[in-house]
Amino acid sequence: MRSILERRGTFEASFIAADRTGALSVMGFRPLQVFRQKPFWAKLLGLFLFVILVAMHAMPAHSADSAVREVEDVVVTATRTAVPRQHLGISTTVITEEDIQARRATDVAELLRDVAGFQTIRFGSPGSQTVVFPRGGEPNYTLVLIDGVQVNLGGGDFYWENLSTDNIERIEIVRGPQSALYGSDAIGGVVQIFTKSGSGPASVEVSTAHGLRSDRGRYFGEQKVRVSGGTDLFGYSAAYGRRDDGGILKINNDYWNNTFSSRFDFFPKDTWEVSLVGRLSDSRYEYPTESAGDKYSPLDPNQTQREQDVLVGVSARVQSTPWWENVVSVGYHRNLRRNLDPFNEETDFAESYGRYNEVRATVDYHANLNWKPTEAVTSVLTVGYERDQEDYAQESIYFDTTKLNADRTNDAVYVQEQLSLLSRLHLVAGFRVEDNSAFGTKVTPRGAAAFELRETGTTLRLAAAKGIKEPTFYENYANDSFTLGNPDLDPERATSWEVGLSQRLGSRLQASATYFESRYKDLIAYVPTPFPAPPERVPNFYNIQAAKSRGVELSLEGRVLENTAAGIHMTWLETEVTDDGGLSSIAFQEGKKLLRRPKFSASGWVETRWKNLHCRFIGHYVGTRDDADYRDWTMPRRVSLDDYFLLDAVVSYRVPVPAPAKDLEIFLKGTNILDADYEQVFGYSTPGAAFMLGASMKF
């Protein structure tokens, strides 16, 4: 895969229409009408449209030979094959190594925060629980792959707070249900991370950075080292990263993370490629917060969580003939978490302890069959089989001791056809059949189309798909004093479609927009045990709820001057609970919005270079959104969180150095440099301004 992992960006497409009055209408919104009221988001939209109109007027039409198309962007995750971005009918984004370096990003969640359609929130200080809402879906609706190995827990949960950017070459993001290719948990989108490969003479990269927070003057720092190299027969890359953070709260808020990452590539023949990847993360987080957050609850002085995450993957690509490619991969993932909360009279009813161990082993084989009967027709047929084994073990203590051991298996067959006609119309259709030991047999189809007008630099897109998400082990098999699982649960289901447009503006800019709708059914809800309790216990989880979301994603990126690039991404989102299952819940009320999803969010960046000086400024805006106040558990209530704007900056300077050193860069990174006071989750404090000074060197 090394040959296809080159730098390329992606830009989403979309659909904007005019209503019968002639006013611009986007998904029912009236941006021009609202602009007269001059809220923050309307000003951004006006700027977006103004730049597009000016660029379209000022820049000449371009041909297929335009400089902007000299290197086609390629995406792997969307189809499991290397496909030019223009051929895809679904929305994708690629975050390159250069993007990560320019931002000096510490973790992947920091990068996803600025992706259109994705909302990222953190429950307090660095190291605390971090979740991602894909297009208004649930936090466990995003499938996460590292070099093709799934790292979600059973049921889709993933701990974003501990996924660092160490040794990452690129990140591919595919929006919308992708269960037709990847099965359960790919119900809202896929994020795949590719580890850096090694080539050329042996080299060493080291970096160190140290900073202070405005919150109580707490220290935080990062240390990294990486070695890499290779020949025509093999390549290697290994890295270690350490992160320390003193937190933002007055007691019990330290966090540290160690990450080891490696990749070895072997090329025994010109038509063979074998890769071995490994990743180990070991972290510890002190969290004093209770259920109502740190602002309204006494702080627990000795509550901690320790997590160890291990990944190993082996894959082989064999080009048997010019038309037949074989791909075999084996993946192993293990996540071990331990929560410890000794009894504290001010905060606890009793001592609690939890140990949760999940293991996933996967074997996948698929064949890519290429067929080109004429110059006008190209076909790639993918046929595959996947076997998945999940094991879960839990031991917890809270008033009494609970032990739970369970396992599930899944066999799947998937088929996908990619058909290109006249090098303009690109069609994708496929389906996957799952046979799961817990929920039985399910079929998930998808289809997409992209039409290129190369003379005008336009790409039209349309896609529709269904997705599923399996229940968690606890929802299936819980059996303690408070909860009984339901082994007969169905997976949660999603039906989604999108339509879009991408437009090249001259040789430097790319504009895009996407309209999408998603409907979620069979959502799993907790149903309290009735009072008085029945003679025999009944399950507490049922598929009884539903919701929907729809939205618009707008994007504009490019090089505005010779040494200056900029981009802006905006998302309008509407969500609604369509069936609350007859339950009275503040968090899920029929006819109300889903919690913590802003109606409008935007992010933008400006990057400029002058000789050896490099500056990047990143702005992030989140509009108002609903949340829940649980200070009084007997009468929780809905609240509205204020909008906020964050500004980050990175300034770096490359210093000429003599051999054997190749490169020395000194950098200064500031986050929330305006020291904004804001809330991502009601009741939880957020970090103030922080600055970090560091240096990196290559040998």
Side-chain angles (χ1 to χ4, degrees):
M1 295 180 65
R2 180 171 58 184
S3 61
I4 63 175
L5 298 182
E6 302 169 350
R7 186 171 187 256
R8 52 264 180 188
T10 57
F11 303 92
E12 299 77 280
S14 231
F15 178 74
I16 302 178
D19 63 13
R20 284 188 287 180
T21 66
L24 184 66
S25 175
V26 182
M27 196 194 65
F29 299 109
R30 302 286 290 279
L32 295 184
Q33 179 179 348
V34 179
F35 182 73
R36 300 187 185 102
Q37 303 169 8
K38 297 183 179 179
F40 183 85
W41 66 267
K43 295 177 183 178
L44 284 177
L45 177 63
L47 175 63
F48 178 86
L49 295 175
F50 175 76
V51 172
I52 289 179
L53 292 173
V54 170
M56 292 180 69
H57 176 75
M59 295 183 180
H62 55 277
S63 67
D65 297 326
S66 177
V68 78
R69 295 183 57 87
E70 286 182 357
V71 178
E72 286 191 309
D73 305 327
V74 178
V75 178
V76 177
T77 307
T79 59
R80 292 190 185 234
T81 60
V83 175
R85 174 190 54 80
Q86 294 87 350
H87 296 187
L88 296 173
I90 55 179
S91 299
T92 59
T93 295
V94 174
I95 301 173
T96 66
E97 181 181 359
E98 288 82 0
D99 296 328
I100 299 172
Q101 183 73 7
R103 288 210 55 172
R104 293 286 172 179
T106 299
D107 52 53
V108 173
E110 180 181 347
L111 297 167
L112 295 182
R113 184 186 70 171
D114 299 321
V115 174
F118 275 51
Q119 176 66 21
T120 302
I121 66 171
R122 184 170 61 196
F123 287 69
S125 60
S128 62
Q129 181 185 9
T130 304
V131 298
V132 173
F133 299 100
R135 287 183 168 177
E138 294 296 323
N140 52 8
Y141 276 12
T142 304
L143 178 70
V144 185
L145 304 170
I146 299 180
D147 295 306
V149 180
Q150 183 176 345
V151 290
N152 298 77
L153 304 181
D157 287 329
F158 181 74
Y159 295 98
W160 292 100
E161 61 269 19
N162 294 321
L163 181 56
S164 71
T165 56
D166 295 295
N167 210 25
I168 292 179
E169 182 174 79
R170 59 188 273 110
I171 303 171
E172 293 186 353
I173 301 156
V174 183
R175 298 172 184 80
Q178 305 302 319
S179 294
L181 265 186
Y182 295 102
S184 179
D185 303 340
I187 183 174
V190 178
V191 174
Q192 178 157 209
I193 294 155
F194 295 93
T195 303
K196 291 181 182 179
S197 56
S199 61
S203 64
V204 179
E205 303 172 32
V206 295
S207 70
T208 181
H210 308 269
L212 290 177
R213 298 192 176 279
S214 61
D215 311 279
R216 309 178 191 281
R218 295 289 174 81
Y219 166 85
F220 66 104
E222 302 173 8
Q223 326 303 324
K224 298 182 179 182
V225 60
R226 176 176 177 261
V227 296
S228 63
T231 68
D232 291 339
L233 294 178
F234 67 91
Y236 62 91
S237 172
Y240 165 72
R242 166 80 182 193
R243 180 184 179 189
D244 293 275
D245 201 309
I248 63 175
L249 303 179
K250 61 183 180 180
I251 62 170
N252 195 39
N253 206 210
D254 286 354
Y255 169 70
W256 57 256
N257 178 294
N258 293 300
T259 298
F260 301 86
S261 176
S262 63
R263 174 170 177 160
F264 300 92
D265 296 302
F266 305 93
F267 312 101
K269 297 182 180 180
D270 291 341
T271 56
W272 284 58
E273 180 179 311
V274 181
S275 297
L276 170 64
V277 296
R279 194 175 184 93
L280 167 64
S281 174
D282 183 18
S283 63
R284 184 178 186 273
Y285 175 56
E286 298 176 351
Y287 61 107
T289 54
E290 300 296 336
S291 57
D294 62 270
K295 292 184 176 181
Y296 308 110
S297 300
L299 299 182
D300 194 315
N302 48 19
Q303 187 173 225
T304 61
Q305 176 174 286
R306 182 76 178 269
E307 180 181 357
Q308 293 175 321
D309 197 88
V310 179
L311 171 151
V312 178
V314 180
S315 63
R317 290 178 176 269
V318 180
Q319 192 75 43
S320 301
T321 68
W323 54 270
W324 180 14
E325 180 187 48
N326 298 279
V327 183
V328 181
S329 60
V330 178
Y332 171 87
H333 175 245
R334 176 177 180 261
N335 182 272
L336 174 62
R337 287 165 293 126
R338 285 165 290 187
N339 295 330
L340 178 62
D341 186 9
F343 176 73
N344 182 277
E345 187 174 352
E346 295 183 358
T347 60
D348 302 312
F349 293 107
E351 176 183 9
S352 64
Y353 167 80
R355 184 181 188 276
Y356 311 89
N357 185 45
E358 293 199 35
V359 175
R360 182 192 299 270
T362 305
V363 177
D364 180 276
Y365 166 79
H366 62 270
N368 298 316
L369 306 175
N370 297 272
W371 182 52
K372 192 172 184 179
T374 68
E375 289 297 321
V377 178
T378 301
S379 169
V380 179
L381 176 65
T382 300
V383 180
Y385 166 78
E386 183 177 18
R387 168 77 175 185
D388 185 271
Q389 171 75 44
E390 295 176 276
D391 295 282
Y392 178 79
Q394 171 187 334
E395 181 179 353
S396 57
I397 300 174
Y398 189 65
F399 292 107
D400 59 5
T401 300
T402 300
K403 293 185 178 182
L404 173 61
N405 292 277
D407 61 81
R408 294 187 296 221
T409 60
N410 191 87
D411 293 278
V413 176
Y414 55 93
V415 179
Q416 175 186 261
E417 168 64 21
Q418 302 176 68
L419 183 65
S420 293
L421 304 175
L422 302 173
S423 298
R424 290 182 181 271
L425 179 61
H426 311 286
L427 306 173
V428 176
F431 66 92
R432 180 176 173 121
V433 181
E434 304 268 332
D435 183 18
N436 189 281
S437 62
F439 59 74
T441 302
K442 301 294 179 183
V443 179
T444 50
R446 77 160 179 171
F451 183 72
E452 292 184 84
L453 296 171
R454 290 190 294 276
E455 295 80 4
T456 61
T458 306
T459 302
L460 304 174
R461 298 185 292 104
L462 176 66
K466 291 189 175 182
I468 60 174
K469 186 198 76 67
E470 66 181 355
T472 67
F473 275 100
Y474 192 74
E475 290 168 341
N476 264 149
Y477 306 114
N479 190 0
D480 54 43
S481 302
F482 307 98
T483 306
L484 182 65
N486 185 351
D488 296 324
L489 288 172
D490 286 326
E492 298 184 352
R493 297 185 294 147
T495 301
S496 180
W497 67 273
E498 66 177 78
V499 60
L501 166 71
S502 292
Q503 180 64 54
R504 298 278 188 181
L505 303 173
S507 61
R508 290 185 173 185
L509 294 177
Q510 169 84 36
S512 63
T514 301
Y515 173 78
F516 64 88
E517 285 192 6
S518 299
R519 293 184 178 271
Y520 309 106
K521 298 181 179 180
D522 291 335
L523 302 186
I524 299 171
Y526 178 87
V527 179
T529 302
F531 181 83
E536 296 185 3
R537 295 185 66 185
V538 295
N540 292 104
F541 294 101
Y542 295 92
N543 298 97
I544 56 174
Q545 294 182 334
K548 65 180 180 181
S549 68
R550 60 175 183 165
V552 170
E553 299 160 355
L554 301 181
S555 175
L556 176 64
E557 279 190 339
R559 189 163 297 281
V560 294
L561 296 172
E562 188 63 31
N563 296 320
T564 303
I568 185 170
H569 308 276
M570 294 179 282
T571 303
W572 281 265
L573 177 68
E574 285 189 347
T575 63
E576 182 184 350
V577 175
T578 55
D579 188 348
D580 64 4
L583 303 176
S584 178
S585 170
I586 291 296
F588 205 83
Q589 287 182 298
E590 192 164 324
K592 299 286 188 178
K593 300 176 183 178
L594 294 172
L595 296 184
R596 298 166 185 159
R597 280 80 153 177
K599 186 173 184 177
F600 175 74
S601 59
S603 62
W605 56 272
V606 177
E607 178 179 298
T608 183
R609 296 177 183 269
W610 184 74
K611 294 184 178 180
N612 292 340
L613 183 65
H614 180 202
C615 302
R616 187 178 180 106
F617 297 90
I618 308 103
H620 184 64
Y621 174 81
V622 175
T624 57
R625 59 255 178 246
D626 289 353
D627 207 333
D629 178 0
Y630 289 108
R631 285 177 289 179
D632 183 355
W633 277 90
T634 62
M635 295 186 64
R637 62 188 183 93
R638 280 200 169 221
V639 295
S640 178
L641 299 183
D642 293 335
D643 61 344
Y644 63 88
F645 174 78
L646 303 178
L647 181 62
D648 300 342
V650 179
V651 178
S652 62
Y653 185 79
R654 184 162 294 172
V655 181
V657 290
K662 299 177 183 178
D663 186 33
L664 171 61
E665 192 169 12
I666 300 172
F667 60 90
L668 175 65
K669 177 182 179 180
T671 56
N672 189 13
I673 60 178
L674 301 179
D675 200 26
D677 184 14
Y678 66 101
E679 278 184 307
Q680 289 191 318
V681 182
F682 179 80
Y684 288 82
S685 299
T686 50
F691 296 90
M692 180 172 65
L693 179 65
S696 61
M697 181 176 286
K698 297 180 182 179
F699 298 92

